[in-house]
Amino acid sequence: MRIGKLMSEARRGRPIQYDPEVALQRARDVFWLTGFAASSLDALSAATGMNRPSLFGAFGNKEELYIATLERYRDESVDALRDMLSGAQSLRVELAEVYEKSTDFYLASNEAARGCLLIGTASVEAPHRPAVQRVLAESLGAFNAVIEARMQKAINDGEISSRTDAGALASVASAVLHSLAVRARAGATRHELDQLSKTAVELLCGPIDPGE
């Protein structure tokens, strides 16, 4: 990605007519709505306000631009997940918040539920685009690592059984996130998604003790 080069040129006094971070966000929205293959260069140019030469000069070809949007989305999502799974509250409360906020995010669109950029678009391209497959695999691994660390803390604190495999449990928790994203994109109602989340939390953390 060439954002570093752009910033260097700006420091040397060469004018830049656009903000590369804003351009990435707008390109991301195009890919998110229509997918990689159906996102035309004309649509990307219009969304970013950059002509093709400027777009290519800043980010490379279409695939490189797509990769940059995926990595930015991944980094922001991992940071948000880490904040929600800080350990400040019980695992049950934090996990419920992760699913609730993720569902809010997956459904938030004026046109149609977009789900998750990675799951909804990168999984389609991964089988025949090695660079996309790499980013997708790294991203899923990054999400799992954050959740696994929180699961291990819950084990250490006695919130869940010491016989639990934190890594396996994290994979299940991640799979629920992916399912929420796909189901949102498929038209599931908010009630249906919330019921799935509630059941998942009970399975992962155990049923609520009536005496609590």
Side-chain angles (χ1 to χ4, degrees):
M1 192 169 67
R2 295 169 172 78
I3 291 180
K5 177 183 176 183
L6 292 173
M7 296 306 183
S8 177
E9 290 176 349
R11 285 192 294 268
R12 291 199 300 268
R14 295 178 60 179
I16 296 177
Q17 302 299 319
Y18 56 88
D19 182 336
E21 291 299 327
V22 172
L24 269 184
Q25 179 180 339
R26 292 175 177 173
R28 177 206 66 185
D29 289 342
V30 174
F31 288 129
W32 206 344
L33 181 64
T34 60
F36 173 79
S39 296
S40 69
L41 291 175
D42 286 342
L44 291 166
S45 293
T48 59
M50 300 166 63
N51 59 33
R52 290 192 186 190
S54 295
L55 199 61
F56 291 154
F59 301 107
N61 59 32
K62 178 181 168 183
E63 182 174 310
E64 289 176 312
L65 173 59
Y66 179 58
I67 292 293
T69 67
L70 293 178
E71 291 176 335
R72 185 176 188 269
Y73 176 91
R74 184 264 319 282
D75 293 345
E76 291 175 347
S77 298
V78 168
D79 287 344
L81 183 62
R82 187 178 292 112
D83 287 343
M84 286 187 282
L85 294 178
S86 65
Q89 302 182 83
S90 69
L91 174 64
R92 182 186 305 279
V93 170
E94 292 185 350
L95 199 56
E97 181 184 12
V98 167
Y99 291 145
E100 178 184 1
K101 298 298 185 184
S102 296
T103 301
D104 290 342
F105 189 63
Y106 297 154
L107 293 175
S109 174
N110 293 327
E111 298 182 40
R114 297 184 298 182
C116 170
L117 177 67
L118 285 158
I119 301 302
T121 69
S123 59
V124 176
E125 302 299 327
H128 52 276
R129 292 186 181 277
V132 175
Q133 185 180 66
R134 173 186 58 78
V135 172
L136 178 59
E138 290 175 352
S139 300
L140 296 181
F143 296 140
N144 267 34
V146 173
I147 299 174
E148 182 176 350
R150 182 63 185 89
M151 293 296 184
Q152 188 58 58
K153 183 180 188 307
I155 293 171
N156 296 341
D157 292 347
E159 288 189 85
I160 53 180
S161 172
S162 59
R163 294 174 294 179
T164 302
D165 184 322
L169 205 62
S171 294
V172 174
S174 291
V176 174
L177 275 177
H178 308 332
S179 181
L180 289 170
V182 172
R183 290 170 185 274
R185 199 165 175 123
T189 66
R190 179 64 195 237
H191 176 71
E192 290 170 335
L193 297 176
D194 286 345
Q195 286 299 108
L196 172 58
S197 298
K198 179 181 177 181
T199 301
V201 171
E202 290 185 358
L203 288 172
L204 292 164
C205 302
I208 296 176
D209 187 340
E212 292 183 353

